[in-house]
Amino acid sequence: MAIVTADHITKIYDGKVAHSAINQLSFEVEQGEFLAIMGPSGSGKTTLLNLLSTIDQPTSGSLTINDQNPQTLSAKQAAIFRREQLGFVFQDFNLLPALTVEENMVLPLTLANQPVEEMKERVDRLIQDLHLEQVRNHFPHELSGGQAQRTAIGRALIHQPQIVLADEPTGNLDSKASKDVLELLTKINRERMTTIVMVTHDPIAASYCDRVLFIKDGEYFNEIYKEDLRQTFFQRILNLLSLLGGNVNDLSTVRLS
Amino acid sequence: MTFLQFAYRNVIRNRRVYAAYFMASSFSVMVFFIYSMLLFHPSIENQFIQEIAFMGMAVADVVLVIFTLFFLLYSLSAFLQARSKEFGILQQLGMDRSQLQRLVFIETMILGVVALATGIFFGYIFTKLFFMVIRAMLVLDTLPLYFSPEPFLLTAVVFTTLFIVISIAGSIFIRQSAIIQLLSGSTQSRETAHFSKVGAFLSFGLLAVAYGLVLYCLYEMNVWWSPVIILCAIAGSYYFFKDGILYLIHKLQRNKQLYWRSLRIVTFSDAIEKIRENARMYFIVTMVSTLAIISVGVVASLTSFANQYRESNPISVLYVSESGNPYEASHIDQLTSDFYKENLTYTLLTAPVTKQTSAATNRPVQLLRETDINTIAAVLKEPLIDLEPGEGMRFGQEVRDGQEQLIHLRENTIYFHVDEGYQYFPLPEAAFDGPAYILSDEDFERIVNPYLYGDWASSVTTVFAFHVPDWLRTDKVGLTLDREMIASYEGNQELPFYFDNPGLNYSYISSTFSLLLVTGLLVAAVLILAAGSFIYFKFYTNLEKDRRQFEVLRHMGLTNQELRRIANRQLYPQFFLPWGLAMLHATFSFLFLQAVWVDIAAMSIAMEMLIVLGAFTCIQAVYYLLIRWRYFAHLQLHTG
């Protein structure tokens, strides 16, 4: 069953020079799928993620997320929709600097005014799952990149959203931390059946997914499914990337694990 | 692009950052200039009362300069820190230290010179207005706008020196830190929420001591406590912002039922961070605001002292003529014609005062008649008295228990008991020699023999009391008499008459005080503007960070309404925390001041206090709304 359906969505930015960031893009995301979206710089990945986040509205075409059409929602309804159904992970973590790890994680629940007992229970479980016991009362500036990103993942998961949207979650991490984060995401995807949509540059990160969707200049380019080992999937992603003809830069983060 | 152009563009393009700083400094120049214009005014030299007021101007000028120096130094160091990333880039691109220093020097000087020019320009424009206000207050005939180089020179020299000092200081500030430190920018100071519990309790203790002493002084006044109180309050406020308030919020955070509730988690933690980063600034703003409120309050209470003046001098115009005064008739004529000229209605009451000798002391005493006193009292709407023969009252002084006297007048063998004082209205003591008593009509009529050491002519003094309902307008009556009185004081001569015009004196007192009030208000305005400028600046430098945080919260699903609420609450601490403490300080200072005043003049300054506190709150509210409007616009919270 498709949880996200994009039907010929187009996004045009008005300005001195009108410029279309997404052009007639159609795709679907299945319930419980782990999808990577790849593409060279400026291909519209971030725009696409913003559309999925309901932060931005497509200029034309229709987008359905969990049977809801974000375009028909008012700003307030959209906010509540995000609060209940979506979780976010960002490249630079975006933890609130003034809050401790624990507080950052319960933030979405406090917004929903859950009972404090319930919050404590959930945050305790998540902190164990994410191995953050040591840094529970630390502030973001006292964390390593990996810990910070795990905190951010905890924050994205605590309200048990339908979909987690991740924007380059490994972009600021070293290889060890990247691996941990990706394995964590995979585990969450398997165990909780949470749908994850991840935008990434990194073929290694993409190789953890079930499917990779390639876009170029805002248009559908290709997609490949993981059928076998991760290593061969990784190789196929690399092949497609070279076919895509991105810049050398886009390949620079290649690491073998 | 030359170096100078580069510096110039830096200033112009950072104008938003510099706006409040620029405004505050040019306003300070403007006020300084206006004061100097008055200081050097050619047509008001050598006049008596104005001198006091102009001393006030000079003092205000000095205060202004000192304050501006500190304000600019502090602001500049904050600006340079905010722009440290930019300086790091410049150094990475190969700008050497001396060039960088020159850049900072030139930038600061550009700002200074422009602020100086703007300040003087607007100063000259507003001088006319200021002069009009002053003229009305001092009741001067003319106070023309003039042009002379002195005020321009004074302002230019003083402020150019000041800006040079600042610029040099600025280029010294920049000398230290390494490039890498500069590049990592202003976000370096994010230490953990460290506050010392000792400091927190110290702050509560000090504030409690300060306030406690004020309350204690209400019961037992001792002015020498005031330095202790001030020191305690200053140190207490400093530690309050550094530790005390953090401790309080931390205590609150410990209670998760309270803290983990909707938006509180964001707003509380944000408040803690803002307070920690800005503790010193909040402290300065608090002190500056307190100073501004108090200075206006003090001057306002002086004005109320002037109002009190009327009550202690109920007789509008008083002329006391000694026996044998050759000018009596001509002076009274002159006064009545003055009243006529001024279109004033008056009631003239005369009362003879007879001089006799007290047998006990063998010194002169002055005697008034019961009916004459009652006539004056009736006009002044004071209670009447009824004396039996053999009774008397001490005029103008209270008679305490145990001080009752039996007075024997030698010349006419009259005895009377004095066991009460008459205090419904006073007559100036200078008008009489010796103590004065009121006699019953019967006894008074028995005075037939003149004063022992003279004849009849020299034993009777006549009081001419003019009652004028419109007493404030008597300030043009008897000007020549007043001048003669002043001349006689200065020359130490005895005059055969005494003249007192409270309306005229009042006009002197009230104009001096009003002048001080205007001076105080302008200085306070500079202080307030400076305090506002600090807040604006901090607000502006944090804007980028705040915007990022709001972006995250928006993703997380906060509605616009909730975001607005958070933004609103974020502004609270920086506005209302220093403000609240300043208000508290000011309230207690006023209580203290009230206690001092009660000792001096038995009057209440509650009304003035309320007006001043209210006015400052309004200013603060307007400033808050203004900043909030800009803040929301920057965070794009208005749409949707």
Side-chain angles (χ1 to χ4, degrees), chain B residues 338-635:
Chain B
D338 277 349
F339 281 124
Y340 182 74
K341 248 188 279 167
E342 291 295 311
N343 251 335
L344 289 164
T345 56
Y346 65 92
T347 320
L348 172 61
L349 305 162
T350 54
V353 185
T354 312
K355 188 150 74 171
Q356 298 277 284
T357 314
S358 158
T361 57
N362 206 23
R363 301 192 69 82
V365 293
Q366 305 287 342
L367 298 164
L368 291 144
R369 198 161 73 140
E370 179 192 354
T371 308
D372 295 333
I373 291 295
N374 275 343
T375 319
I376 298 178
V379 172
L380 297 178
K381 301 196 172 64
E382 299 288 353
L384 304 183
I385 50 168
D386 184 19
L387 294 175
E388 297 295 319
E391 274 183 346
M393 285 175 106
R394 178 80 155 94
F395 184 82
Q397 226 176 54
E398 122 185 66
V399 176
R400 296 217 189 101
D401 289 348
Q403 286 186 341
E404 295 91 351
Q405 291 177 287
L406 175 69
I407 291 179
H408 171 205
L409 299 178
R410 263 174 92 169
E411 291 86 348
N412 295 293
T413 334
I414 300 171
Y415 293 90
F416 60 95
H417 280 280
V418 178
D419 47 14
E420 251 185 293
Y422 185 90
Q423 285 185 300
Y424 296 119
F425 67 88
L427 290 173
E429 277 179 29
F432 307 117
D433 55 338
Y437 298 95
I438 308 172
L439 279 186
S440 65
D441 288 7
E442 293 82 349
D443 283 337
F444 195 82
E445 254 131 53
R446 287 175 53 211
I447 303 176
V448 284
N449 297 325
Y451 182 52
L452 203 57
Y453 305 102
D455 52 6
W456 257 120
S458 68
S459 58
V460 177
T461 307
T462 315
V463 172
F464 294 87
F466 293 85
H467 178 71
V468 184
D470 202 359
W471 71 285
L472 275 174
R473 281 181 50 215
T474 62
D475 57 348
K476 292 220 175 59
V477 173
L479 283 174
T480 48
L481 282 176
D482 196 61
R483 235 163 272 149
E484 277 181 59
M485 287 293 293
I486 292 171
S488 80
Y489 285 138
E490 286 168 356
N492 249 333
Q493 332 152 266
E494 291 270 330
L495 286 180
F497 62 89
Y498 173 88
F499 175 77
D500 188 30
N501 181 352
L504 179 61
N505 296 343
Y506 175 80
S507 77
Y508 286 156
I509 296 176
S510 79
S511 55
T512 311
F513 285 165
S514 318
L515 192 61
L516 284 177
L517 179 65
V518 171
T519 319
L521 274 179
L522 278 178
V523 173
V526 173
L527 298 187
I528 291 289
L529 211 64
S533 145
F534 284 137
I535 289 182
Y536 174 84
F537 169 72
K538 279 291 176 184
F539 152 78
Y540 196 86
T541 44
N542 282 333
L543 204 56
E544 201 40 51
K545 211 174 77 194
D546 288 344
R547 196 172 1 216
R548 270 223 307 279
Q549 174 162 340
F550 274 95
E551 211 36 59
V552 178
L553 291 174
R554 198 196 299 271
H555 264 96
M556 224 173 261
L558 266 75
T559 59
N560 243 323
Q561 203 185 359
E562 285 167 329
L563 289 174
R564 259 208 297 270
R565 211 154 52 197
I566 292 181
N568 209 355
R569 288 188 198 167
Q570 274 184 335
L571 291 179
Y572 287 164
Q574 37 191 329
F575 276 95
F576 296 109
L577 211 57
W579 194 250
L581 196 62
M583 285 306 244
L584 205 61
H585 283 345
T587 309
F588 276 93
S589 339
F590 280 144
L591 282 179
F592 190 80
L593 199 65
Q594 171 74 75
V596 174
W597 270 122
V598 165
D599 268 18
I600 300 174
M603 60 165 202
S604 161
I605 55 168
M607 201 57 211
E608 282 76 16
M609 269 153 58
L610 284 180
I611 291 174
V612 171
L613 292 180
F616 276 84
T617 309
C618 286
I619 296 173
Q620 184 70 359
V622 168
Y623 194 56
Y624 162 73
L625 289 176
L626 203 71
I627 290 284
R628 193 179 76 157
W629 170 58
R630 292 316 307 150
Y631 192 51
F632 281 11
H634 275 298
L635 296 174

Side-chain angles (χ1 to χ4, degrees), chain A residues 31-49:
Chain A
Q31 171 89 48
E33 196 183 3
F34 189 177
L35 171 72
I37 298 176
M38 292 192 83
S41 302
S43 59
K45 301 187 296 288
T46 304
T47 306
L48 180 58
L49 207 63

Side-chain angles (χ1 to χ4, degrees), chain B residues 180-232:
Chain B
I180 186 77
Q181 240 177 325
L182 289 176
L183 275 176
S184 61
S186 54
T187 49
Q188 93 285 49
S189 63
R190 178 162 295 151
E191 293 120 31
T192 347
H194 273 320
F195 57 88
S196 91
K197 243 182 179 169
V198 181
F201 286 114
L202 187 68
S203 77
F204 301 141
L206 284 171
L207 289 179
V209 167
Y211 293 157
L213 276 178
V214 170
L215 293 179
Y216 176 72
C217 282
L218 293 185
Y219 294 103
E220 208 178 316
M221 191 60 213
N222 186 352
V223 183
W224 301 111
W225 279 119
S226 51
V228 181
I229 295 174
I230 292 170
L231 281 180
C232 280

Side-chain angles (χ1 to χ4, degrees), chain A residues 194-257:
Chain A
T194 309
T195 312
I196 302 178
V197 176
M198 175 172 76
V199 163
T200 184
H201 260 114
D202 180 357
I204 297 181
S207 69
Y208 281 83
C209 302
D210 302 327
R211 174 165 65 118
V212 183
L213 175 72
F214 292 90
I215 55 176
K216 185 183 184 183
D217 301 332
E219 289 177 30
Y220 175 89
F221 182 76
N222 205 338
E223 62 184 334
I224 49 175
Y225 288 84
K226 176 149 90 181
E227 288 155 352
D228 32 34
L229 284 172
R230 198 163 66 77
Q231 270 72 10
T232 41
F233 190 43
F234 173 67
Q235 203 52 57
R236 285 166 57 210
I237 296 171
L238 280 187
N239 292 343
L240 238 161
L241 278 178
S242 58
L243 199 65
L244 199 60
N247 298 323
V248 183
N249 282 347
D250 295 329
L251 301 174
S252 66
T253 48
V254 170
R255 285 178 232 100
L256 279 170
S257 58

Side-chain angles (χ1 to χ4, degrees), chain A residues 183-197:
Chain A
E183 280 172 358
L184 181 66
L185 287 175
T186 318
K187 188 171 141 215
I188 290 159
N189 173 249
R190 297 275 148 70
E191 288 175 3
R192 304 187 175 218
M193 292 301 285
T194 309
T195 312
I196 302 178
V197 176

Side-chain angles (χ1 to χ4, degrees), chain A residues 82-83 88 99 110-111, chain B residues 190 262 269 554-555 558 562:
Chain A
R82 284 199 293 279
R83 180 188 300 181
F88 294 92
L99 297 179
T110 65
L111 297 180
Chain B
R190 178 162 295 151
S262 63
S269 60
R554 198 196 299 271
H555 264 96
L558 266 75
E562 285 167 329

